[in-house]
Amino acid sequence: MTEAEQHQDRIEEARRIFAGPIAFLKSAPALKFLPDASVPEVAFAGRSNVGKSSLINALTGRNALARTSNTPGRTQELNFFDVGNPLRFRLVDMPGYGYAKAPKDMLKQWRFLVNDYLRGRPVLKRTHVLIDCRHGLKDVDATLLDMLDEAAVSYRIVLTKADKVKASALAEVTERTAQAVRKRPAAHPEIIATSSEKGMGLPELRAAVIDALD
Ligand code: GDP
């Protein structure tokens, strides 16, 4: 099999998995509510409004699997989704951060929950950190990247809303972001640009999620 054929096989296998059964399992507002660590997990994180719910819905081809959670003051929780029947792995929707008007202790609560989860979850294979391609990496994102590096949890940057910028601007933000994570120990060097609206990058991201399970 040539490399191109292998790539196509991976894309097709990932497409099939994401087209199969996926169901919401539970929300965990604290560690004691986490499901059993019986299967691998792959997480998605990002600032409120980055397009995380839209991306999870687009990846799974479901309209309302992940709900928007950027309402200030809303309980912060980790949401778990079972993928495959029999269960193959779990998608984890991490609480959004960086909401401008969020009260201080909400940020504290976010930090505790996310840090505890990252540090105590060997089944967590990779976190996808979503970055709006119009804004690039911000200080609040760097806080999460620091936590991931310190917890030694592998992560990968995924640019969102790629349909909102020109190809030249997208190339520029991709390069700038890749440069910024190059020295970070737990960062995957390749960045995936996506658009939930236009479907761009979704087959590659599905394949990247499946790759993270090995
Ligand atoms: P979340 O808070 O991170 O879950 O963000 P949402 O998924 O709710 O998206 C926030 C806003 O961005 C909504 O108005 C979406 O319609 C919009 N949005 C999300 N993804 C895309 C995209 O790929 N392209 C465009 N143009 N808009 C998007």
Side-chain angles (χ1 to χ4, degrees), residues 107-174:
L107 177 64
K108 222 172 172 182
Q109 193 206 336
W110 177 88
R111 250 180 210 273
F112 279 128
L113 177 64
V114 171
N115 229 347
D116 283 356
Y117 172 69
L118 295 179
R119 287 173 176 275
R121 203 68 175 168
V123 292
L124 175 60
K125 297 300 175 189
R126 184 167 291 155
T127 297
H128 296 86
V129 180
L130 277 40
I131 301 290
D132 189 320
C133 71
R134 295 168 301 174
H135 308 316
L137 273 178
K138 298 282 185 201
D139 287 349
V140 268
D141 301 310
T143 303
L144 174 63
L145 303 191
D146 289 345
M147 287 160 68
L148 287 158
D149 281 323
E150 276 159 31
V153 171
S154 161
Y155 59 92
R156 187 160 177 153
I157 306 285
V158 174
L159 297 173
T160 61
K161 309 188 190 181
D163 59 285
K164 293 228 185 199
V165 298
K166 289 196 186 126
S168 55
L170 185 61
E172 196 267 329
V173 70
T174 304

Short mmCIF file of all heavy atoms in Angstrom, two decimals, residues 107-174:
data_model
loop_
_atom_site.label_atom_id
_atom_site.label_comp_id
_atom_site.label_asym_id
_atom_site.label_seq_id
_atom_site.Cartn_x
_atom_site.Cartn_y
_atom_site.Cartn_z
N LEU A 107 -13.02 31.16 37.37
CA LEU A 107 -11.73 30.81 36.77
C LEU A 107 -10.97 29.84 37.67
O LEU A 107 -10.38 28.87 37.21
CB LEU A 107 -10.90 32.09 36.55
CG LEU A 107 -9.49 31.87 35.99
CD1 LEU A 107 -9.55 31.28 34.59
CD2 LEU A 107 -8.70 33.18 35.99
N LYS A 108 -11.04 30.12 38.97
CA LYS A 108 -10.39 29.26 39.96
C LYS A 108 -10.97 27.85 39.89
O LYS A 108 -10.24 26.86 39.88
CB LYS A 108 -10.64 29.84 41.34
CG LYS A 108 -9.45 29.82 42.26
CD LYS A 108 -9.83 30.60 43.48
CE LYS A 108 -8.84 30.54 44.59
NZ LYS A 108 -9.38 31.32 45.74
N GLN A 109 -12.29 27.79 39.84
CA GLN A 109 -12.99 26.50 39.79
C GLN A 109 -12.60 25.75 38.50
O GLN A 109 -12.37 24.55 38.52
CB GLN A 109 -14.50 26.77 39.82
CG GLN A 109 -15.36 25.55 40.07
CD GLN A 109 -16.75 25.72 39.49
OE1 GLN A 109 -17.25 26.85 39.29
NE2 GLN A 109 -17.40 24.62 39.19
N TRP A 110 -12.53 26.49 37.40
CA TRP A 110 -12.13 25.89 36.11
C TRP A 110 -10.74 25.28 36.23
O TRP A 110 -10.51 24.15 35.83
CB TRP A 110 -12.17 26.97 35.01
CG TRP A 110 -11.70 26.46 33.68
CD1 TRP A 110 -12.45 25.85 32.72
CD2 TRP A 110 -10.36 26.50 33.16
NE1 TRP A 110 -11.66 25.50 31.64
CE2 TRP A 110 -10.38 25.90 31.89
CE3 TRP A 110 -9.14 26.99 33.66
CZ2 TRP A 110 -9.24 25.77 31.10
CZ3 TRP A 110 -8.00 26.86 32.87
CH2 TRP A 110 -8.05 26.26 31.61
N ARG A 111 -9.81 26.08 36.80
CA ARG A 111 -8.44 25.62 36.98
C ARG A 111 -8.35 24.33 37.79
O ARG A 111 -7.64 23.40 37.42
CB ARG A 111 -7.66 26.67 37.75
CG ARG A 111 -6.64 27.40 36.97
CD ARG A 111 -6.01 28.38 37.95
NE ARG A 111 -5.54 29.56 37.29
CZ ARG A 111 -4.34 29.65 36.74
NH1 ARG A 111 -3.52 28.63 36.77
NH2 ARG A 111 -3.97 30.76 36.16
N PHE A 112 -9.06 24.30 38.93
CA PHE A 112 -9.02 23.12 39.79
C PHE A 112 -9.56 21.89 39.07
O PHE A 112 -8.93 20.84 39.06
CB PHE A 112 -9.83 23.36 41.08
CG PHE A 112 -9.07 24.13 42.11
CD1 PHE A 112 -9.60 25.26 42.70
CD2 PHE A 112 -7.80 23.70 42.51
CE1 PHE A 112 -8.88 25.97 43.65
CE2 PHE A 112 -7.07 24.41 43.47
CZ PHE A 112 -7.62 25.55 44.04
N LEU A 113 -10.72 22.06 38.45
CA LEU A 113 -11.36 20.92 37.78
C LEU A 113 -10.47 20.39 36.65
O LEU A 113 -10.19 19.19 36.57
CB LEU A 113 -12.74 21.34 37.24
CG LEU A 113 -13.50 20.28 36.46
CD1 LEU A 113 -13.85 19.08 37.33
CD2 LEU A 113 -14.79 20.87 35.85
N VAL A 114 -10.02 21.31 35.80
CA VAL A 114 -9.24 20.89 34.63
C VAL A 114 -7.89 20.31 35.05
O VAL A 114 -7.47 19.27 34.56
CB VAL A 114 -9.09 22.07 33.64
CG1 VAL A 114 -8.10 21.73 32.53
CG2 VAL A 114 -10.46 22.43 33.05
N ASN A 115 -7.24 20.98 36.00
CA ASN A 115 -5.95 20.48 36.46
C ASN A 115 -6.06 19.09 37.09
O ASN A 115 -5.25 18.21 36.79
CB ASN A 115 -5.37 21.45 37.49
CG ASN A 115 -3.94 21.80 37.18
OD1 ASN A 115 -3.30 21.16 36.34
ND2 ASN A 115 -3.43 22.81 37.83
N ASP A 116 -7.06 18.91 37.93
CA ASP A 116 -7.26 17.60 38.56
C ASP A 116 -7.50 16.54 37.50
O ASP A 116 -6.96 15.43 37.57
CB ASP A 116 -8.47 17.64 39.50
CG ASP A 116 -8.14 18.34 40.81
OD1 ASP A 116 -6.96 18.72 41.01
OD2 ASP A 116 -9.06 18.52 41.63
N TYR A 117 -8.32 16.89 36.52
CA TYR A 117 -8.63 15.92 35.46
C TYR A 117 -7.36 15.59 34.68
O TYR A 117 -7.04 14.41 34.47
CB TYR A 117 -9.72 16.48 34.54
CG TYR A 117 -9.96 15.64 33.31
CD1 TYR A 117 -10.53 14.37 33.42
CD2 TYR A 117 -9.59 16.10 32.06
CE1 TYR A 117 -10.73 13.58 32.29
CE2 TYR A 117 -9.80 15.32 30.93
CZ TYR A 117 -10.36 14.07 31.05
OH TYR A 117 -10.55 13.29 29.95
N LEU A 118 -6.62 16.62 34.26
CA LEU A 118 -5.42 16.39 33.44
C LEU A 118 -4.37 15.57 34.18
O LEU A 118 -3.70 14.72 33.59
CB LEU A 118 -4.80 17.73 33.02
CG LEU A 118 -5.63 18.61 32.09
CD1 LEU A 118 -4.86 19.90 31.79
CD2 LEU A 118 -5.99 17.88 30.79
N ARG A 119 -4.25 15.82 35.46
CA ARG A 119 -3.19 15.16 36.23
C ARG A 119 -3.54 13.75 36.65
O ARG A 119 -2.64 12.94 36.90
CB ARG A 119 -2.85 15.99 37.47
CG ARG A 119 -2.08 17.22 37.11
CD ARG A 119 -1.88 18.13 38.28
NE ARG A 119 -1.05 19.25 37.89
CZ ARG A 119 0.28 19.21 37.87
NH1 ARG A 119 0.92 18.13 38.27
NH2 ARG A 119 0.97 20.26 37.47
N GLY A 120 -4.83 13.46 36.73
CA GLY A 120 -5.19 12.16 37.29
C GLY A 120 -5.88 11.23 36.31
O GLY A 120 -6.70 10.41 36.72
N ARG A 121 -5.56 11.38 35.03
CA ARG A 121 -6.34 10.62 34.04
C ARG A 121 -5.43 9.95 33.02
O ARG A 121 -5.30 10.42 31.88
CB ARG A 121 -7.30 11.61 33.35
CG ARG A 121 -8.52 10.98 32.73
CD ARG A 121 -9.48 10.43 33.74
NE ARG A 121 -10.70 9.95 33.09
CZ ARG A 121 -11.61 9.22 33.72
NH1 ARG A 121 -11.44 8.89 34.99
NH2 ARG A 121 -12.68 8.82 33.07
N PRO A 122 -4.82 8.84 33.38
CA PRO A 122 -3.91 8.19 32.42
C PRO A 122 -4.59 7.77 31.12
O PRO A 122 -3.93 7.63 30.10
CB PRO A 122 -3.42 6.95 33.18
CG PRO A 122 -3.79 7.15 34.60
CD PRO A 122 -4.90 8.15 34.66
N VAL A 123 -5.92 7.58 31.13
CA VAL A 123 -6.59 7.17 29.88
C VAL A 123 -6.77 8.35 28.91
O VAL A 123 -7.13 8.14 27.76
CB VAL A 123 -7.98 6.52 30.13
CG1 VAL A 123 -7.84 5.17 30.81
CG2 VAL A 123 -8.91 7.45 30.90
N LEU A 124 -6.46 9.57 29.37
CA LEU A 124 -6.58 10.72 28.47
C LEU A 124 -5.40 10.70 27.49
O LEU A 124 -4.26 10.92 27.86
CB LEU A 124 -6.59 12.03 29.27
CG LEU A 124 -6.57 13.31 28.43
CD1 LEU A 124 -7.78 13.39 27.51
CD2 LEU A 124 -6.52 14.54 29.33
N LYS A 125 -5.72 10.42 26.24
CA LYS A 125 -4.67 10.23 25.24
C LYS A 125 -4.23 11.55 24.61
O LYS A 125 -3.08 11.72 24.25
CB LYS A 125 -5.15 9.28 24.13
CG LYS A 125 -5.45 7.88 24.61
CD LYS A 125 -4.21 7.26 25.23
CE LYS A 125 -4.50 5.91 25.84
NZ LYS A 125 -3.37 5.40 26.60
N ARG A 126 -5.15 12.44 24.39
CA ARG A 126 -4.78 13.74 23.80
C ARG A 126 -5.89 14.76 24.03
O ARG A 126 -7.08 14.40 24.07
CB ARG A 126 -4.52 13.60 22.30
CG ARG A 126 -4.04 14.91 21.67
CD ARG A 126 -3.48 14.70 20.29
NE ARG A 126 -2.23 13.97 20.32
CZ ARG A 126 -1.78 13.25 19.29
NH1 ARG A 126 -2.48 13.15 18.18
NH2 ARG A 126 -0.63 12.62 19.39
N THR A 127 -5.47 16.01 24.17
CA THR A 127 -6.42 17.12 24.24
C THR A 127 -6.26 17.95 22.98
O THR A 127 -5.14 18.23 22.55
CB THR A 127 -6.15 17.97 25.49
OG1 THR A 127 -6.36 17.16 26.64
CG2 THR A 127 -7.10 19.17 25.55
N HIS A 128 -7.37 18.31 22.37
CA HIS A 128 -7.34 19.21 21.22
C HIS A 128 -7.68 20.60 21.71
O HIS A 128 -8.76 20.81 22.28
CB HIS A 128 -8.32 18.72 20.15
CG HIS A 128 -7.93 17.39 19.61
ND1 HIS A 128 -8.31 16.21 20.21
CD2 HIS A 128 -7.14 17.05 18.57
CE1 HIS A 128 -7.76 15.20 19.55
NE2 HIS A 128 -7.05 15.68 18.54
N VAL A 129 -6.74 21.52 21.56
CA VAL A 129 -6.95 22.89 22.03
C VAL A 129 -7.40 23.73 20.85
O VAL A 129 -6.66 23.91 19.88
CB VAL A 129 -5.66 23.46 22.67
CG1 VAL A 129 -5.90 24.88 23.15
CG2 VAL A 129 -5.19 22.57 23.82
N LEU A 130 -8.62 24.22 20.95
CA LEU A 130 -9.22 24.97 19.84
C LEU A 130 -8.86 26.44 19.94
O LEU A 130 -8.95 27.05 21.02
CB LEU A 130 -10.75 24.80 19.89
CG LEU A 130 -11.35 23.55 19.25
CD1 LEU A 130 -10.55 22.31 19.51
CD2 LEU A 130 -12.79 23.37 19.68
N ILE A 131 -8.45 26.99 18.79
CA ILE A 131 -8.06 28.40 18.74
C ILE A 131 -8.78 29.04 17.54
O ILE A 131 -8.71 28.51 16.43
CB ILE A 131 -6.52 28.52 18.53
CG1 ILE A 131 -5.75 27.82 19.68
CG2 ILE A 131 -6.09 29.97 18.36
CD1 ILE A 131 -5.83 28.50 21.01
N ASP A 132 -9.44 30.14 17.79
CA ASP A 132 -10.13 30.87 16.72
C ASP A 132 -9.08 31.45 15.77
O ASP A 132 -8.19 32.19 16.21
CB ASP A 132 -10.97 31.99 17.36
CG ASP A 132 -11.90 32.67 16.36
OD1 ASP A 132 -11.48 32.90 15.21
OD2 ASP A 132 -13.05 32.98 16.75
N CYS A 133 -9.16 31.10 14.49
CA CYS A 133 -8.09 31.50 13.57
C CYS A 133 -8.04 33.01 13.36
O CYS A 133 -7.06 33.54 12.87
CB CYS A 133 -8.20 30.76 12.25
SG CYS A 133 -9.59 31.29 11.27
N ARG A 134 -9.08 33.72 13.75
CA ARG A 134 -9.02 35.19 13.64
C ARG A 134 -8.23 35.81 14.78
O ARG A 134 -7.76 36.93 14.68
CB ARG A 134 -10.44 35.77 13.64
CG ARG A 134 -11.28 35.35 12.44
CD ARG A 134 -12.72 35.71 12.65
NE ARG A 134 -13.24 35.06 13.85
CZ ARG A 134 -14.44 35.27 14.36
NH1 ARG A 134 -15.25 36.14 13.80
NH2 ARG A 134 -14.84 34.62 15.45
N HIS A 135 -8.11 35.07 15.88
CA HIS A 135 -7.47 35.65 17.06
C HIS A 135 -6.09 35.07 17.35
O HIS A 135 -5.25 35.73 17.95
CB HIS A 135 -8.36 35.45 18.30
CG HIS A 135 -9.77 35.92 18.10
ND1 HIS A 135 -10.06 37.12 17.48
CD2 HIS A 135 -10.96 35.37 18.41
CE1 HIS A 135 -11.39 37.27 17.43
NE2 HIS A 135 -11.95 36.21 17.98
N GLY A 136 -5.85 33.82 16.98
CA GLY A 136 -4.58 33.18 17.33
C GLY A 136 -4.50 32.88 18.82
O GLY A 136 -5.48 33.04 19.55
N LEU A 137 -3.33 32.44 19.28
CA LEU A 137 -3.13 32.10 20.70
C LEU A 137 -3.17 33.34 21.58
O LEU A 137 -2.50 34.32 21.27
CB LEU A 137 -1.76 31.46 20.88
CG LEU A 137 -1.58 29.97 20.68
CD1 LEU A 137 -0.11 29.61 20.87
CD2 LEU A 137 -2.44 29.18 21.67
N LYS A 138 -3.91 33.28 22.66
CA LYS A 138 -3.98 34.39 23.63
C LYS A 138 -3.37 33.92 24.95
O LYS A 138 -3.16 32.72 25.16
CB LYS A 138 -5.44 34.79 23.85
CG LYS A 138 -6.13 35.31 22.60
CD LYS A 138 -5.73 36.73 22.31
CE LYS A 138 -6.52 37.27 21.14
NZ LYS A 138 -5.89 38.40 20.51
N ASP A 139 -3.18 34.88 25.87
CA ASP A 139 -2.63 34.54 27.18
C ASP A 139 -3.45 33.47 27.90
O ASP A 139 -2.90 32.57 28.51
CB ASP A 139 -2.54 35.78 28.07
CG ASP A 139 -1.40 36.70 27.61
OD1 ASP A 139 -0.59 36.26 26.77
OD2 ASP A 139 -1.34 37.84 28.10
N VAL A 140 -4.79 33.59 27.83
CA VAL A 140 -5.63 32.58 28.51
C VAL A 140 -5.41 31.20 27.94
O VAL A 140 -5.48 30.21 28.67
CB VAL A 140 -7.16 32.86 28.42
CG1 VAL A 140 -7.64 33.67 29.59
CG2 VAL A 140 -7.58 33.42 27.10
N ASP A 141 -5.13 31.13 26.62
CA ASP A 141 -4.86 29.82 26.02
C ASP A 141 -3.53 29.29 26.54
O ASP A 141 -3.39 28.09 26.81
CB ASP A 141 -4.80 29.94 24.50
CG ASP A 141 -6.10 30.47 23.91
OD1 ASP A 141 -7.17 29.93 24.27
OD2 ASP A 141 -6.05 31.41 23.11
N ALA A 142 -2.56 30.18 26.67
CA ALA A 142 -1.24 29.78 27.16
C ALA A 142 -1.33 29.17 28.56
O ALA A 142 -0.59 28.24 28.89
CB ALA A 142 -0.28 30.97 27.15
N THR A 143 -2.27 29.67 29.36
CA THR A 143 -2.48 29.10 30.70
C THR A 143 -2.83 27.61 30.58
O THR A 143 -2.28 26.78 31.30
CB THR A 143 -3.65 29.83 31.41
OG1 THR A 143 -3.34 31.21 31.45
CG2 THR A 143 -3.86 29.30 32.82
N LEU A 144 -3.73 27.29 29.65
CA LEU A 144 -4.10 25.89 29.45
C LEU A 144 -2.92 25.08 28.90
O LEU A 144 -2.67 23.97 29.36
CB LEU A 144 -5.31 25.78 28.50
CG LEU A 144 -5.69 24.36 28.10
CD1 LEU A 144 -6.14 23.53 29.30
CD2 LEU A 144 -6.80 24.36 27.04
N LEU A 145 -2.20 25.65 27.95
CA LEU A 145 -1.05 24.92 27.38
C LEU A 145 -0.01 24.63 28.47
O LEU A 145 0.57 23.54 28.50
CB LEU A 145 -0.41 25.70 26.23
CG LEU A 145 -1.31 26.06 25.04
CD1 LEU A 145 -0.47 26.58 23.87
CD2 LEU A 145 -2.18 24.90 24.60
N ASP A 146 0.19 25.61 29.37
CA ASP A 146 1.11 25.38 30.50
C ASP A 146 0.65 24.21 31.36
O ASP A 146 1.43 23.35 31.75
CB ASP A 146 1.20 26.63 31.39
CG ASP A 146 1.94 27.78 30.72
OD1 ASP A 146 2.63 27.53 29.70
OD2 ASP A 146 1.82 28.93 31.20
N MET A 147 -0.67 24.18 31.62
CA MET A 147 -1.21 23.09 32.45
C MET A 147 -1.02 21.74 31.75
O MET A 147 -0.67 20.74 32.40
CB MET A 147 -2.71 23.33 32.72
CG MET A 147 -2.97 24.45 33.73
SD MET A 147 -4.64 25.13 33.65
CE MET A 147 -5.62 23.79 34.24
N LEU A 148 -1.22 21.72 30.45
CA LEU A 148 -1.07 20.47 29.69
C LEU A 148 0.39 20.03 29.69
O LEU A 148 0.70 18.85 29.89
CB LEU A 148 -1.58 20.66 28.26
CG LEU A 148 -3.10 20.73 28.12
CD1 LEU A 148 -3.51 21.44 26.84
CD2 LEU A 148 -3.71 19.33 28.17
N ASP A 149 1.30 20.98 29.45
CA ASP A 149 2.73 20.65 29.46
C ASP A 149 3.14 20.11 30.82
O ASP A 149 3.87 19.12 30.91
CB ASP A 149 3.56 21.89 29.12
CG ASP A 149 3.59 22.17 27.61
OD1 ASP A 149 3.63 21.19 26.83
OD2 ASP A 149 3.57 23.34 27.22
N GLU A 150 2.66 20.77 31.88
CA GLU A 150 3.05 20.35 33.23
C GLU A 150 2.47 18.99 33.59
O GLU A 150 3.10 18.20 34.29
CB GLU A 150 2.63 21.40 34.26
CG GLU A 150 3.67 22.50 34.37
CD GLU A 150 3.12 23.79 34.95
OE1 GLU A 150 2.18 23.72 35.77
OE2 GLU A 150 3.62 24.87 34.57
N ALA A 151 1.28 18.70 33.08
CA ALA A 151 0.67 17.40 33.36
C ALA A 151 1.16 16.33 32.38
O ALA A 151 0.78 15.17 32.48
CB ALA A 151 -0.85 17.51 33.32
N ALA A 152 1.99 16.75 31.41
CA ALA A 152 2.48 15.85 30.36
C ALA A 152 1.35 15.16 29.61
O ALA A 152 1.40 13.97 29.33
CB ALA A 152 3.48 14.83 30.93
N VAL A 153 0.31 15.94 29.30
CA VAL A 153 -0.79 15.43 28.48
C VAL A 153 -0.58 15.93 27.06
O VAL A 153 -0.50 17.13 26.82
CB VAL A 153 -2.15 15.92 29.01
CG1 VAL A 153 -3.27 15.57 28.03
CG2 VAL A 153 -2.45 15.31 30.38
N SER A 154 -0.47 14.99 26.13
CA SER A 154 -0.28 15.34 24.73
C SER A 154 -1.42 16.23 24.23
O SER A 154 -2.57 16.02 24.58
CB SER A 154 -0.24 14.04 23.92
OG SER A 154 -0.50 14.29 22.56
N TYR A 155 -1.09 17.25 23.44
CA TYR A 155 -2.16 18.08 22.89
C TYR A 155 -1.83 18.54 21.48
O TYR A 155 -0.68 18.50 21.04
CB TYR A 155 -2.46 19.28 23.79
CG TYR A 155 -1.30 20.22 24.03
CD1 TYR A 155 -1.08 21.33 23.22
CD2 TYR A 155 -0.44 19.99 25.10
CE1 TYR A 155 -0.02 22.19 23.46
CE2 TYR A 155 0.62 20.85 25.34
CZ TYR A 155 0.84 21.94 24.52
OH TYR A 155 1.89 22.78 24.76
N ARG A 156 -2.88 18.97 20.83
CA ARG A 156 -2.75 19.41 19.46
C ARG A 156 -3.61 20.64 19.26
O ARG A 156 -4.74 20.69 19.77
CB ARG A 156 -3.24 18.26 18.57
CG ARG A 156 -3.01 18.48 17.13
CD ARG A 156 -3.06 17.12 16.44
NE ARG A 156 -2.92 17.36 15.03
CZ ARG A 156 -2.43 16.49 14.16
NH1 ARG A 156 -2.07 15.30 14.56
NH2 ARG A 156 -2.31 16.79 12.91
N ILE A 157 -3.08 21.63 18.55
CA ILE A 157 -3.84 22.85 18.30
C ILE A 157 -4.73 22.65 17.07
O ILE A 157 -4.28 22.15 16.04
CB ILE A 157 -2.91 24.05 18.03
CG1 ILE A 157 -1.88 24.23 19.15
CG2 ILE A 157 -3.73 25.33 17.79
CD1 ILE A 157 -2.41 24.81 20.42
N VAL A 158 -5.99 23.03 17.21
CA VAL A 158 -6.94 22.98 16.10
C VAL A 158 -7.49 24.39 15.90
O VAL A 158 -8.05 24.98 16.82
CB VAL A 158 -8.10 22.01 16.42
CG1 VAL A 158 -9.16 22.05 15.33
CG2 VAL A 158 -7.57 20.58 16.60
N LEU A 159 -7.28 24.93 14.72
CA LEU A 159 -7.83 26.26 14.42
C LEU A 159 -9.28 26.11 14.01
O LEU A 159 -9.64 25.18 13.27
CB LEU A 159 -7.03 26.93 13.31
CG LEU A 159 -5.56 27.22 13.62
CD1 LEU A 159 -4.84 27.72 12.37
CD2 LEU A 159 -5.43 28.22 14.76
N THR A 160 -10.13 27.01 14.49
CA THR A 160 -11.56 26.97 14.16
C THR A 160 -11.96 28.16 13.29
O THR A 160 -11.22 29.14 13.19
CB THR A 160 -12.42 27.00 15.44
OG1 THR A 160 -12.17 28.21 16.14
CG2 THR A 160 -12.13 25.81 16.35
N LYS A 161 -13.13 28.05 12.70
CA LYS A 161 -13.75 29.12 11.90
C LYS A 161 -12.87 29.57 10.73
O LYS A 161 -12.80 30.76 10.42
CB LYS A 161 -14.11 30.31 12.80
CG LYS A 161 -14.92 29.91 14.04
CD LYS A 161 -15.44 31.09 14.81
CE LYS A 161 -16.02 30.66 16.15
NZ LYS A 161 -16.57 31.77 16.94
N ALA A 162 -12.20 28.60 10.11
CA ALA A 162 -11.28 28.91 9.02
C ALA A 162 -11.98 29.58 7.84
O ALA A 162 -11.33 30.24 7.02
CB ALA A 162 -10.56 27.64 8.56
N ASP A 163 -13.29 29.41 7.75
CA ASP A 163 -14.03 30.06 6.65
C ASP A 163 -14.10 31.57 6.82
O ASP A 163 -14.49 32.28 5.91
CB ASP A 163 -15.44 29.47 6.56
CG ASP A 163 -16.22 29.65 7.86
OD1 ASP A 163 -15.93 28.92 8.83
OD2 ASP A 163 -17.11 30.49 7.92
N LYS A 164 -13.75 32.05 8.01
CA LYS A 164 -13.87 33.48 8.28
C LYS A 164 -12.68 34.31 7.83
O LYS A 164 -12.72 35.53 7.91
CB LYS A 164 -14.11 33.71 9.78
CG LYS A 164 -15.43 33.18 10.29
CD LYS A 164 -16.12 34.22 11.12
CE LYS A 164 -17.39 33.68 11.76
NZ LYS A 164 -18.27 34.76 12.17
N VAL A 165 -11.59 33.66 7.42
CA VAL A 165 -10.42 34.43 6.98
C VAL A 165 -9.96 33.97 5.59
O VAL A 165 -10.29 32.87 5.14
CB VAL A 165 -9.22 34.30 7.97
CG1 VAL A 165 -9.59 34.86 9.34
CG2 VAL A 165 -8.75 32.87 8.08
N LYS A 166 -9.19 34.82 4.94
CA LYS A 166 -8.64 34.47 3.63
C LYS A 166 -7.55 33.41 3.78
O LYS A 166 -6.93 33.29 4.85
CB LYS A 166 -8.00 35.72 3.01
CG LYS A 166 -8.99 36.76 2.55
CD LYS A 166 -8.28 37.73 1.60
CE LYS A 166 -9.18 38.88 1.22
NZ LYS A 166 -8.58 40.19 1.49
N ALA A 167 -7.28 32.69 2.70
CA ALA A 167 -6.27 31.63 2.73
C ALA A 167 -4.92 32.15 3.20
O ALA A 167 -4.22 31.47 3.97
CB ALA A 167 -6.14 30.99 1.34
N SER A 168 -4.55 33.35 2.80
CA SER A 168 -3.24 33.91 3.17
C SER A 168 -3.18 34.16 4.68
O SER A 168 -2.18 33.86 5.33
CB SER A 168 -2.95 35.20 2.41
OG SER A 168 -4.01 36.12 2.60
N ALA A 169 -4.27 34.68 5.24
CA ALA A 169 -4.31 34.95 6.69
C ALA A 169 -4.31 33.64 7.47
O ALA A 169 -3.70 33.53 8.54
CB ALA A 169 -5.55 35.78 7.03
N LEU A 170 -4.96 32.62 6.92
CA LEU A 170 -5.01 31.31 7.57
C LEU A 170 -3.61 30.69 7.60
O LEU A 170 -3.18 30.15 8.62
CB LEU A 170 -5.99 30.39 6.83
CG LEU A 170 -6.22 29.03 7.48
CD1 LEU A 170 -6.80 29.16 8.87
CD2 LEU A 170 -7.15 28.17 6.60
N ALA A 171 -2.90 30.81 6.47
CA ALA A 171 -1.53 30.29 6.40
C ALA A 171 -0.65 31.00 7.42
O ALA A 171 0.18 30.38 8.10
CB ALA A 171 -0.97 30.46 4.99
N GLU A 172 -0.87 32.29 7.54
CA GLU A 172 -0.04 33.11 8.45
C GLU A 172 -0.29 32.71 9.91
O GLU A 172 0.64 32.50 10.68
CB GLU A 172 -0.34 34.59 8.20
CG GLU A 172 0.68 35.55 8.78
CD GLU A 172 0.28 36.04 10.16
OE1 GLU A 172 -0.94 36.14 10.43
OE2 GLU A 172 1.19 36.29 10.95
N VAL A 173 -1.57 32.58 10.31
CA VAL A 173 -1.88 32.25 11.71
C VAL A 173 -1.45 30.81 12.02
O VAL A 173 -1.02 30.50 13.13
CB VAL A 173 -3.36 32.52 12.08
CG1 VAL A 173 -4.31 31.55 11.42
CG2 VAL A 173 -3.57 32.50 13.58
N THR A 174 -1.54 29.93 11.03
CA THR A 174 -1.11 28.54 11.21
C THR A 174 0.40 28.50 11.50
O THR A 174 0.85 27.85 12.45
CB THR A 174 -1.42 27.69 9.96
OG1 THR A 174 -2.81 27.80 9.67
CG2 THR A 174 -1.07 26.23 10.16
#
